[in-house]
């Protein structure tokens, strides 16, 4: 159990939940210092989206769930942010006609981590005849948090890698020969894998898709929420996710504060800078139209440079 500053008790499934909750609360405190307070009272605001960041929030059952913080600037320059919960997911491909067996196995093996399992038809660009509109069945694995997704993906990935290597090394003749020697049918058990034992179902997982898409990018693609556009944000309390609706009729953007920086370093010819050996010569940055340069007193390392720098307006 985790007792939050607000007196809420959070059920946790692993030792890292407390740290993740603490990190999320620290982020909220830092954002509030810069004026990005989270919407807490029911209401509707209109804002220009300037940034997004993955986070975790507490649901009605006081459990951590994945969400994306969207940062907005209003027409009068005031700021706010809204957290939109979204279940992270990725896809796996199985051998022919064994999706149901794999789903049954995964739901038992990862009970408490998997939020939902379903079969989805998707276009597979690896199919030789994908241009004619043929689709392949994939199993969609949805989770409550990115941490759960990462842990399950890490366990499934080695099995997928091994199965793909096995498929590449076995040609059709070898498959038919082994089936004939076993006295089985060429087109039944060996082909689709439906009759494998429950403990062998990971052998039927032959591919993983969209497992490496960053979480906040995934949410923005699926929900079509993009930076540098106006949105109406309607908040109805913790029981419902906020409604974020794009306003195409608003085109004039606000005047955000922009910080740009550049770091000049030494380096060997035809090489990229190396933090272990190369030195920082100057750091320049611009904010609100003013440019500043951070220059070391002498040729020193980065640690010493940070302690002995002069601030020079340009």
């Amino acid at each position: 159990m985790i007792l939050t500053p607000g007196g809420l008790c959070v059920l946790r499934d692993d030792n890292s939940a407390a740290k993740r909750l603490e990190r999320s609360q620290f982020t909220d405190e830092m954002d509030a210092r810069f004026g990005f307070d989270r919407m807490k009272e029911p209401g509707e605001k209109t804002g220009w989206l300037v940034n997004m960041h993955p986070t975790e929030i507490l649901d009605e059952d006081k459990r951590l769930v994945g969400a994306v913080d969207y940062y907005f600037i209003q027409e009068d320059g005031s700021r706010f942010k809204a957290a939109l919960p979204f279940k992270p997911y990725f896809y796996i491909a199985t051998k022919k006609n064994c999706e149901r067996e794999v789903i049954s196995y995964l739901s038992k093996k990862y009970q408490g981590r998997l939020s939902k399992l379903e079969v989805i038809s998707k276009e597979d660009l690896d199919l030789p005849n994908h241009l004619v509109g043929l689709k392949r069945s994939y199993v969609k694995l949805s989770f409550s948090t990115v941490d759960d997704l990462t842990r399950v993906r890490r366990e499934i990935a080695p099995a997928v890698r091994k199965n793909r290597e096995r498929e590449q090394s076995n040609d059709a003749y070898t498959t038919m020969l082994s089936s004939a020697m076993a006295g089985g049918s060429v087109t039944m058990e060996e082909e689709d894998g439906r009759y494998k034992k429950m403990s062998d179902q990971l052998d039927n997982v032959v591919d993983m898709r969209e497992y490496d898409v960053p979480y906040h990018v995934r949410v923005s693609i699926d929900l079509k929420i993009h930076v540098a556009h106006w949105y109406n944000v309607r908040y109805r309390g913790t029981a419902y996710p906020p409604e974020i609706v794009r306003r195409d009729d608003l085109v004039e953007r606000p005047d955000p504060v922009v910080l740009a920086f550049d770091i000049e370093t030494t380096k060997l010819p035809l090489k990229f800078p190396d933090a272990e050996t190369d030195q920082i010569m100057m750091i320049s940055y611009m904010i609100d139209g003013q440019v500043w340069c951070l220059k070391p007193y002498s040729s020193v390392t980065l640690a010493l440079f940070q302690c002995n720098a002069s601030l020079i307006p340009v």
Side-chain angles (χ1 to χ4, degrees):
M1 303 288 288
I2 310 171
L3 185 63
T4 68
L8 300 176
C9 292
V10 185
L11 297 175
R12 66 180 182 184
D13 298 325
D14 54 71
N15 294 330
S16 65
K19 293 182 179 179
R20 286 154 43 205
L21 177 61
E22 183 180 354
R23 183 165 58 248
S24 177
Q25 293 172 340
F26 176 77
T27 300
D28 289 342
E29 294 176 2
M30 294 299 296
D31 289 342
R33 294 184 182 182
F34 291 95
F36 289 100
D37 291 302
R38 191 187 304 279
M39 292 184 67
K40 297 180 180 179
E41 299 296 331
E44 185 172 336
K45 295 182 179 181
T46 300
W48 194 70
L49 185 60
V50 295
N51 202 0
M52 63 185 73
H53 193 275
T55 186
E56 289 181 322
I57 60 176
L58 298 174
D59 63 5
E60 285 190 303
D61 298 325
K62 309 308 181 220
R63 292 183 181 274
L64 285 174
V65 296
V68 175
D69 271 334
Y70 289 100
Y71 298 77
F72 297 91
I73 298 180
Q74 294 181 269
E75 193 172 5
D76 60 358
S78 58
R79 309 167 187 176
F80 70 95
K81 72 174 183 176
L84 182 61
F86 190 88
K87 293 184 181 298
Y89 65 86
F90 67 90
Y91 299 97
I92 61 173
T94 68
K95 292 183 180 179
K96 185 180 179 182
N97 297 329
C98 62
E99 292 88 358
R100 185 176 301 177
E101 288 75 13
V102 171
I103 286 177
S104 178
Y105 170 77
L106 293 178
S107 62
K108 293 178 180 179
K109 180 176 176 62
Y110 299 112
Q111 185 177 8
R113 292 196 181 279
L114 277 167
S115 176
K116 186 178 181 181
L117 285 159
E118 55 185 329
V119 178
I120 303 292
S121 295
K122 302 281 288 184
E123 291 186 5
D124 187 356
L125 300 182
D126 288 340
L127 293 176
N129 53 353
H130 68 273
L131 294 178
V132 300
L134 293 181
K135 295 185 177 181
R136 178 174 181 175
S137 295
Y138 287 88
V139 179
K140 181 179 179 181
L141 286 70
S142 300
F143 305 83
S144 295
T145 67
V146 177
D147 183 74
D148 289 339
L149 180 149
T150 304
R151 291 173 182 269
V152 173
R153 181 190 65 190
R154 191 181 299 127
E155 294 184 16
I156 294 179
V160 173
R161 191 181 309 112
K162 181 184 66 175
N163 296 337
R164 295 178 71 174
E165 292 175 354
R166 184 188 299 124
E167 281 193 348
Q168 293 175 358
S169 62
N170 294 334
D171 55 17
Y173 175 78
T174 304
T175 303
M176 289 189 295
L177 180 61
S178 60
S179 177
M181 294 181 62
S185 172
V186 175
T187 60
M188 289 293 291
E189 299 178 4
E190 296 297 325
E191 188 179 72
D192 57 30
R194 285 177 292 176
Y195 305 103
K196 277 184 173 292
K197 295 180 181 179
M198 183 62 70
S199 59
D200 300 328
Q201 285 303 320
L202 277 183
D203 293 340
N204 288 330
V205 182
V206 296
D207 199 4
M208 296 172 58
R209 295 294 176 92
E210 301 187 14
Y211 59 89
D212 55 351
V213 180
Y215 174 60
H216 62 290
V217 176
R218 159 61 59 209
V219 178
S220 297
I221 292 175
D222 287 7
L223 302 183
K224 295 180 173 59
I225 301 176
H226 307 292
V227 169
H229 291 281
W230 288 95
Y231 291 89
N232 277 354
V233 184
R234 183 185 178 192
Y235 182 71
R236 298 178 293 169
T238 57
Y240 305 95
E243 297 179 2
I244 303 178
V245 181
R246 183 165 165 175
R247 291 283 305 273
D248 290 325
D249 58 314
L250 300 177
V251 294
E252 292 294 333
R253 65 173 179 83
D255 190 17
V257 177
V258 178
L259 171 65
F261 67 91
D262 181 48
I263 302 177
E264 301 291 344
T265 69
T266 61
K267 72 179 189 65
L268 295 176
L270 303 179
K271 297 289 185 179
F272 286 104
D274 188 344
E276 298 295 330
T277 57
D278 292 314
Q279 301 173 357
I280 292 180
M281 301 169 59
M282 182 178 65
I283 299 178
S284 58
Y285 68 92
M286 181 179 70
I287 183 169
D288 281 345
Q290 295 187 8
V291 181
W292 300 79
C293 294
L294 288 168
K295 301 176 65 176
Y297 285 113
S298 59
S299 179
V300 291
T301 61
L302 176 60
L304 187 59
F305 164 71
Q306 291 176 329
C307 298
N308 298 277
S310 60
L311 193 60
I312 307 174
V314 176

